[in-house]
Amino acid sequence: MTRWGVTVLDRLHLDGHERVLDAGCGSGRVTEHLCQRLPRGRVIALDLSSAMLVEARRRLASYANRVSFVRTSLAHPLPLAPVDAVFSTATFHWIRDHEALFSNLAAVLHPGGQLVAQCGGAGNIARVHAAARAAGVDLDPTHFATPAEMQQRLEAAGFIDVQCWLQPEPTTLAPGEPFETYLRTVCLRPHLEQLPEQDRQPFLREVMRQLGEPVIDYVRLNLHARRGAVR
Ligand SMILES: C[S@@+](CC[C@H](N)C(=O)[O-])C[C@H]1O[C@@H](n2cnc3c(N)ncnc32)[C@H](O)[C@@H]1O
């Protein structure tokens, strides 16, 4: 996922002095590459999770003079001075209210400023959802948007020159225990956390049995846009 993030970062046009928001920085793995692209600039590393920010702060210690950390939700108006660009990877699909999300991002982005992002898109981990369904659980796939849906949401928030496209990234994991750990800690974590302790392992095992091949059918949705003139 860090590799995907770095590829997305390559699409951000930077001279090196800009002020850039990393929206959903997580543990800062991709943010570190962003810091390297901004030797005279500034990074705002924002995340909802304090635990993630603790890790990001540790990872980015050598860039401390040009990184600030903000703990808040992207679903709320952002307490930030304007930025030249917004960058985000693997985060937007976690936020249900995209109308609020994009309006909050537009509000802190200078007119003409870039939004370059990637998140899960339509069809993402459909095999895992099908396996969970066969194991008796309906996971909600509706938050993985299509390019057309995302384009409409971005334009409604005042973005222009919008480009959205899907990128299939099927990923094969090591079978057995590593695959089980990955499913438990990444793909199925939100659902498992809601199950009674004694039901978790049987559900996980059944999903693995249904899946067979240790392949996660990731589909990424790329977003590229600019903030239009303030209306
Ligand atoms: C999979 S991680 C991605 C981290 C990093 N961007 C990367 O690509 O490695 C998703 C991050 O989104 C954050 N997140 C989820 N909902 C959020 C919200 N409403 N506001 C801000 N961050 C959020 C999570 O805390 C998590 O750190």
Side-chain angles (χ1 to χ4, degrees):
M1 282 192 174
T2 303
R3 183 173 51 78
W4 298 341
V6 173
T7 307
V8 179
L9 183 57
D10 286 343
R11 290 204 286 273
L12 193 60
H13 297 290
L14 295 172
D15 290 332
H17 61 263
E18 292 89 345
R19 190 178 142 81
V20 180
L21 168 64
D22 186 350
C25 64
S27 62
R29 285 177 198 277
V30 187
T31 324
E32 188 169 9
H33 293 264
L34 177 59
C35 291
Q36 288 161 7
R37 298 264 321 266
L38 292 166
R40 301 172 305 286
R42 184 135 204 108
V43 172
I44 296 105
L46 180 152
D47 204 280
L48 180 60
S49 154
S50 323
M52 286 291 176
L53 286 173
V54 166
E55 217 178 306
R57 204 181 278 275
R58 193 174 317 130
R59 188 184 307 279
L60 303 173
S62 57
Y63 303 99
N65 59 342
R66 49 197 157 99
V67 186
S68 31
F69 298 89
V70 177
R71 198 196 80 76
T72 189
S73 172
L74 292 162
H76 302 312
L78 304 176
L80 303 179
V83 295
D84 301 304
V86 173
F87 171 74
S88 180
T89 50
T91 297
F92 289 172
H93 55 268
W94 292 109
I95 297 153
R96 291 305 172 111
D97 186 349
H98 276 181
E99 192 183 327
L101 167 68
F102 293 132
S103 139
N104 296 334
L105 294 178
V108 297
L109 189 54
H110 282 304
Q114 306 161 79
L115 168 67
V116 172
Q118 187 184 75
C119 59
N124 193 47
I125 63 169
R127 282 184 81 235
V128 178
H129 283 223
R133 210 161 29 249
V137 173
D138 248 327
L139 304 174
D140 175 14
T142 54
H143 50 296
F144 295 127
T146 65
E149 286 166 342
M150 219 46 140
Q151 170 146 6
Q152 189 274 326
R153 292 171 197 175
L154 284 164
E155 287 173 351
F159 286 91
I160 58 171
D161 300 340
V162 178
Q163 290 176 282
C164 302
W165 70 99
L166 290 174
Q167 176 183 331
E169 286 284 355
T171 302
T172 303
L173 289 118
E177 207 276 326
F179 186 42
E180 182 178 318
T181 303
Y182 189 83
L183 286 172
R184 187 177 55 244
T185 56
V186 182
C187 303
L188 297 173
R189 184 176 51 82
H191 175 70
L192 287 170
E193 281 169 1
Q194 287 169 23
L195 283 183
E197 186 73 44
Q198 70 274 16
D199 295 344
R200 293 180 186 177
Q201 197 58 17
F203 172 69
L204 191 55
R205 283 282 154 88
E206 181 54 19
V207 171
M208 280 183 73
R209 199 183 68 76
Q210 293 287 343
L211 278 169
E213 291 287 296
V215 176
I216 309 285
D217 52 341
Y218 283 115
V219 178
R220 315 315 291 167
L221 175 55
N222 294 297
L223 317 179
H224 202 145
R226 283 191 309 115
R227 171 81 174 99
V230 177
R231 289 174 293 182

